[in-house]
Amino acid sequence: MAEKGLKRIDIPITGMSCAACAARIQNGLSQIEGVKEAQVNFAAERATITYDPEKANIDVFLKAIKDLGYGASLAKQTIPIKGMTCAACVARVEKGLSGTEGVVNAKVNFATESATVEYIPSQIGIRELRKAIEEAGYEAVTAGPGEDVVEKEQREREAHYRSLKRKVFTGASLTVPIIILMYWHALGLGSIFHLPMETGFIIQFLLATPVQFWIGLQFYRGAFAAARHKTTDMNTLIAVGTSAAYIYSVLATFYPSLFQLRGYRADVYFDTSAAIIVLILLGRTFEAKAKGQTSEAIKKLIGLKPRTARVVRNGAEMDIPVEDVEIGDVILVRPGEKVPVDGVIKEGYSSVDESMITGEPIPAEKKTGDGVIGGTMNKTGSFRFEATKVGRETMLSHIIKLVQEAQGSKPPIARLADKIASVFVPAVILIASLTFIIWYVFGPAPSFTYAILNFIAVLIIACPCSLGLATPTSIMVGTGKGAENGVLIRSGAALETAHKITTIVFDKTGTITKGEPSLTDIIRADTMPEDEILSYAASAERGSEHPLAEAIVKKALEKNIQIAEPYGFRAIPGHGIKATVKDKTVIFGNMQMITDEGISTDSMGNAAERLASEGKTPMFLSVDGKLAGILAVSDTLKENSKEAVSALKKLGVEVVLLTGDNRRTAQAIAKQVGIERVIAEVLPEDKAKMVKDLQAEKKIVAMVGDGINDAPALAQADVGIAIGTGTDVAMEASDITLISGDLRAVVSAIALSKATLKNIRQNLFWAFAYNTILIPVAAGVLFPFFGILLNPIFAGAAMGMSSVTVVSNALRLKRFKAPV
């Protein structure tokens, strides 16, 4: 047991191979200042350290272990959290988790409403982490037996979104009559039906009260939670501002004599308090909708997992749950079935659609000895393979984990309004309180009435309407303008970050290129016409489902070329096909297949090499033992890819091409569009790692992709941009979606982000300028010199003008025009 004032911690160690390793780690830990005793058990692979917490901590121990060449086995958990409303909430949860013994690192993401925690499992568990979140004033989402936490979180988000919509609708239904009553005579309704002013006030009170305390209840709860932790946030602003207007209006309704000073008439501001609550809730409704979709990418990835596997055991085939598959099991896969787990083919051959991993549309030819990946789709043949990775170790599970961790990481986005609010609100409350005291003690009679009047005037001036609208109005207009230009921006955070992008990483297939193989070249070897060459090739490939064959047949149909019925069709996996067309023997495949048949390709060698260097796939055609020509198939460039890359480079943005394709093809495509930096032959986890490496260089990185394989990198990037013509998973993992797939929209997104951020800064300036200038006036500083007091009517007008200015300025974004 540790002595008083000392702590003891157990750290699982990885990388030890002998007792000498344990001794080396023990010696290194013992030399750290503040460590009283360190023991390393090689058999248990664990270090037990007794230390003085004032002189040493977990981070120091982990660094020492790493410097010695070993690792610590830490657990990582992503925990969904309910109840966060702003950056101040994030800070409180992070502080609570980080201060929990055994936690190494805690990051809370407001956008995904989750915490990603690294911890030492021997010191702390999930129960303690959830308790720390609850003690901070929030709720950790937990799942019951047999329930998926992601699905439960999604259901709760949807329920919250529906609740917000109901509240906005109900609040608007109550607020509109209040506004009509407020301007009853101005609208000319008094001539139709006489409504006494006092009666109108009471009706407004009855309508505004449920808006204030039911529709706006969440603001009070948030403000009280912040107060318990001795801080303030946006909820505090909303609660204080609307309460000031509401309480003032209640007093003016039932105790008008308090305000009948020097001819001032008691006016009410029920419309102000109600409208503020409804407008801010409307903004939160849009935000909730965007947040509610963040887990869709994970759900769709999980949906790719096969449920069963056909395993061969003791010579018999049996279908078992994929969870029961063990390493070493032999599994049978038939055409049209998904590969259940990762493994190596032992018997048979086929073409497998690996687009979910590689992003490439052309199925990969698989034969004995080749690896297959769980979740991919078998297309044509049957095969048996041996399972090498199962459960959480499969490639698909790894991708799911990468996406989950990347989405749970904290984005480098500062919530400016919340930061300012944490200082602004206490300052305003202090000024209002000092105003009341000074007027009550030193003011002329009736001093209490003066004090109340000026106290409320200060609070109404400090109403958060303009502050609350400054950012969301600009974002709403900006995102709407983005949609008009083919850019779907899924969150304000993405819009805030896009203008800072310094590096853009493009996936190749389906992003820079169309993602659909097409016939690009027909080169004759002798006098046979091109159309006849295409006729023989299309006829031979007529019954094939291979994407390359489909491209050739499609071109023949487009040109109205006759396609004959092939006979004796035979496919040679990985090489090509043989068939009889129009009573002639046709061989169509790669160079090796043609030369194996004893047909010379020397005359076409240079042409084939040139085509390959251009990123195309050359296929040779021979008819009755004579070389007829070459047909080249390629995934062609999108029409505007080159223009988009050029525009990005003019903006000073570094452009990188990242692909799972071979280097020669990638280099050829990059050369055509003007990209200098190419990273080829990478797997999904390497794509995400590349983004991390760029971020480590202090670069703001955007990733543009269209496939499931791009999802981890899209989620890891500061801004993930998905192609609208790609997979749903890629779009759900991204921050921005290009609806048409036109890459010029990336340039538009960056330009729109710059315009929107400039607009937001202007809005915040005007919002605070109104408050800052008029708060001293509301406090009565002009009264001793000019006898001027700010009537709360003018305070409300100033507040309204602040809001009008902010909204009008935001609407200027509608003039935005795409630069390309």
Side-chain angles (χ1 to χ4, degrees):
M1 186 173 179
E3 296 178 17
K4 188 176 181 180
L6 299 179
K7 286 188 175 183
R8 189 172 70 179
I9 187 172
D10 292 328
I11 302 177
I13 307 292
T14 60
M16 293 191 297
S17 58
C18 61
C21 298
R24 184 182 177 201
I25 297 171
Q26 182 170 305
N27 183 53
L29 291 171
S30 298
Q31 293 179 16
I32 297 174
E33 183 182 0
V35 174
K36 183 174 182 181
E37 183 183 21
Q39 294 182 345
V40 179
N41 188 316
F42 172 60
E45 297 182 309
R46 189 180 303 277
T48 301
I49 308 165
T50 304
Y51 66 101
D52 182 349
E54 294 184 1
K55 297 180 179 179
N57 56 48
I58 295 173
D59 291 336
V60 174
F61 304 146
L62 294 176
K63 185 177 184 302
I65 293 168
K66 183 179 179 181
D67 291 344
L68 290 169
Y70 304 92
S73 180
L74 302 177
K76 181 180 280 190
Q77 185 75 27
T78 300
I79 306 171
I81 300 172
K82 289 174 61 178
M84 295 192 298
T85 59
C86 65
C89 304
V90 170
R92 284 200 294 275
V93 178
E94 275 190 358
K95 183 178 180 181
L97 287 170
S98 299
T100 304
E101 187 173 351
V103 171
V104 176
N105 185 31
K107 291 182 178 180
V108 179
N109 187 311
F110 176 57
T112 59
E113 297 181 280
S114 64
T116 301
V117 189
E118 282 187 295
Y119 60 96
I120 300 172
S122 60
Q123 293 290 117
I124 190 174
I126 299 298
R127 182 179 298 175
E128 288 78 12
L129 296 176
R130 288 172 179 157
K131 184 179 179 183
I133 292 169
E134 289 167 2
E135 288 178 350
Y138 305 91
E139 181 183 347
V141 177
T142 58
E147 189 177 23
D148 185 87
V149 68
V150 175
E151 293 181 359
K152 181 178 180 182
E153 181 194 10
Q154 180 69 14
R155 286 197 302 272
E156 291 188 352
R157 282 185 174 184
E158 289 172 356
H160 177 60
Y161 173 65
R162 289 193 298 270
S163 174
L164 280 174
K165 283 204 300 184
R166 284 195 301 270
K167 285 188 175 183
V168 168
F169 178 78
T170 305
S173 300
L174 293 170
T175 301
V176 170
I178 294 175
I179 295 173
I180 293 172
L181 288 168
M182 183 71 181
Y183 300 98
W184 185 264
H185 294 286
L187 293 171
L189 298 176
S191 60
I192 301 172
F193 178 80
H194 175 67
L195 181 70
M197 183 178 68
E198 293 77 9
T199 304
F201 286 178
I202 292 172
I203 296 173
Q204 289 181 55
F205 163 75
L206 295 174
L207 291 170
T209 299
V211 176
Q212 188 73 31
F213 298 109
W214 176 58
I215 306 295
L217 180 61
Q218 66 190 69
F219 301 127
Y220 285 103
R221 285 176 174 169
F224 289 140
R228 284 199 301 271
H229 292 86
K230 299 177 182 179
T231 186
T232 57
D233 59 13
M234 288 296 289
N235 287 310
T236 310
L237 278 172
I238 298 164
V240 170
T242 58
S243 295
Y246 177 82
I247 292 170
Y248 170 83
S249 301
V250 170
L251 292 173
T253 299
F254 297 102
Y255 304 98
S257 59
L258 290 173
F259 302 93
Q260 290 168 355
L261 175 68
R262 293 195 176 185
Y264 287 160
R265 190 185 67 184
D267 286 296
V268 296
Y269 297 96
F270 290 119
D271 62 323
T272 298
S273 61
I276 289 170
I277 288 172
V278 172
L279 285 171
I280 293 175
L281 274 181
L282 180 63
R284 290 198 175 181
T285 303
F286 288 126
E287 184 179 15
K289 184 173 178 61
K291 286 181 179 179
Q293 296 172 353
T294 55
S295 62
E296 285 296 314
I298 299 294
K299 289 179 66 178
K300 283 187 169 69
L301 283 169
I302 293 172
L304 289 174
K305 288 185 175 181
R307 301 302 178 194
T308 61
R310 186 172 291 106
V311 180
V312 180
R313 289 179 179 172
N314 300 321
E317 297 178 10
M318 60 182 72
D319 290 335
I320 63 172
V322 73
E323 294 82 6
D324 295 340
V325 175
E326 299 175 358
I327 293 176
D329 275 342
V330 175
I331 302 168
L332 174 64
V333 182
R334 293 170 178 161
E337 294 180 345
K338 284 184 179 180
V339 179
V341 295
D342 297 357
V344 177
I345 294 179
K346 293 297 182 182
E347 179 186 333
Y349 61 83
S350 183
S351 62
V352 179
D353 181 1
E354 295 184 333
S355 58
M356 55 82 69
I357 296 295
T358 66
E360 305 306 320
I362 301 173
E365 301 292 337
K366 297 291 183 180
K367 59 183 183 301
T368 301
D370 290 342
V372 290
I373 301 170
T376 55
M377 180 66 73
N378 182 32
K379 300 293 284 186
T380 54
S382 298
F383 60 88
R384 296 188 181 199
F385 75 97
E386 181 181 335
T388 56
K389 290 183 179 180
V390 299
R392 296 182 180 179
E393 300 303 315
T394 64
M395 177 72 76
L396 181 56
S397 294
H398 193 44
I399 291 174
I400 291 171
K401 182 182 177 184
L402 286 173
V403 174
Q404 206 165 20
E405 289 180 359
Q407 286 196 335
S409 62
K410 189 176 182 179
I413 299 168
R415 299 278 173 174
L416 180 62
D418 278 315
K419 286 185 176 180
I420 296 174
S422 65
V423 179
F424 181 75
V425 177
V428 168
I429 294 172
L430 177 63
I431 292 170
S433 301
L434 288 173
T435 298
F436 179 87
I437 292 169
I438 291 170
W439 277 96
Y440 185 70
V441 175
F442 302 105
S447 61
F448 180 76
T449 304
Y450 273 112
I452 286 288
L453 183 67
N454 293 321
F455 173 77
I456 292 176
V458 169
L459 288 178
I460 288 181
I461 280 291
C463 184
C465 189
S466 58
L467 182 59
L469 289 171
T471 301
T473 50
S474 295
I475 288 176
M476 285 172 67
V477 177
T479 51
K481 197 63 184 176
E484 290 177 20
N485 287 274
V487 181
L488 275 182
I489 301 168
R490 296 185 54 194
S491 69
L495 198 60
E496 289 178 42
T497 308
H499 79 290
K500 302 176 186 176
I501 293 170
T502 59
T503 301
I504 290 187
V505 181
F506 283 104
D507 176 51
K508 181 183 75 67
T509 304
T511 303
I512 293 290
T513 64
K514 293 181 178 178
E516 300 174 357
S518 60
L519 182 64
T520 57
D521 298 85
I522 299 176
I523 301 176
R524 298 185 300 168
D526 56 14
T527 59
M528 183 180 290
E530 288 185 7
D531 285 358
E532 192 173 347
I533 292 173
L534 179 56
S535 177
Y536 276 112
S539 298
E541 292 280 21
R542 182 174 184 176
S544 174
E545 294 181 358
H546 197 286
L548 297 183
E550 291 176 2
I552 292 167
V553 173
K554 181 180 179 182
K555 176 61 73 172
L557 292 172
E558 287 175 358
K559 298 183 71 174
N560 294 319
I561 291 174
Q562 181 184 2
I563 300 177
E565 187 70 33
Y567 298 94
F569 178 89
R570 185 161 66 94
I572 293 84
H575 294 284
I577 62 167
K578 288 183 179 180
T580 300
V581 177
K582 303 174 185 176
D583 297 325
K584 292 183 180 181
T585 302
V586 175
I587 301 173
F588 189 44
N590 58 25
M591 182 182 290
Q592 182 180 339
M593 182 176 182
I594 297 295
T595 54
D596 286 348
E597 293 292 329
I599 301 170
S600 175
T601 60
D602 293 344
S603 62
M604 305 294 287
N606 291 336
E609 184 66 27
R610 176 180 60 79
L611 292 169
S613 68
E614 293 173 359
K616 300 172 182 177
T617 302
M619 294 179 289
F620 293 79
L621 177 75
S622 74
V623 179
D624 276 348
K626 185 178 180 182
L627 188 63
I630 295 177
L631 292 89
V633 174
S634 173
D635 188 2
T636 55
L637 285 177
K638 288 183 178 177
E639 290 78 4
N640 302 309
S641 293
K642 187 174 182 179
E643 184 182 354
V645 171
S646 175
L648 288 168
K649 290 166 77 173
K650 286 179 182 177
L651 290 175
V653 177
E654 178 188 15
V655 183
V656 180
L657 182 65
L658 189 63
T659 179
D661 209 341
N662 67 77
R663 179 162 294 278
R664 187 164 62 174
T665 300
Q667 289 282 9
I669 295 295
K671 185 178 180 181
Q672 292 179 52
V673 296
I675 297 177
E676 287 81 23
R677 186 173 179 181
V678 178
I679 304 167
E681 301 172 3
V682 292
L683 290 173
E685 58 265 36
D686 297 320
K687 289 185 179 182
K689 182 179 181 298
M690 273 302 308
V691 172
K692 285 183 181 179
D693 291 344
L694 289 168
Q695 289 170 328
E697 297 172 17
K698 307 298 182 185
K699 294 179 178 179
I700 306 300
V701 182
M703 173 70 193
V704 186
D706 73 318
I708 294 173
N709 66 299
D710 300 317
L714 287 169
Q716 176 62 42
D718 297 295
V719 179
I721 303 175
I723 303 300
T725 53
T727 66
D728 289 342
V729 174
M731 286 184 274
E732 291 296 343
S734 68
D735 304 298
I736 297 173
T737 298
L738 310 183
I739 301 171
S740 65
D742 188 339
L743 295 186
R744 292 178 299 178
V746 175
V747 185
S748 299
I750 294 174
L752 181 61
S753 173
K754 289 181 178 179
T756 304
L757 261 293
K758 181 180 178 181
N759 193 271
I760 288 172
R761 292 190 186 102
Q762 292 169 346
N763 282 349
L764 288 172
F765 169 78
W766 286 113
F768 285 107
Y770 275 104
N771 285 292
T772 305
I773 293 170
L774 290 177
I775 281 175
V777 177
V781 295
L782 298 179
F783 186 80
F785 307 102
F786 305 104
I788 296 174
L789 283 178
L790 183 65
N791 190 316
I793 294 174
F794 298 118
M799 177 192 63
M801 181 58 67
S802 175
S803 303
V804 169
T805 303
V806 165
V807 175
S808 299
N809 189 54
L811 291 174
R812 290 194 309 111
L813 280 172
K814 288 193 172 185
R815 302 178 202 164
F816 172 84
K817 292 183 179 179
V820 292

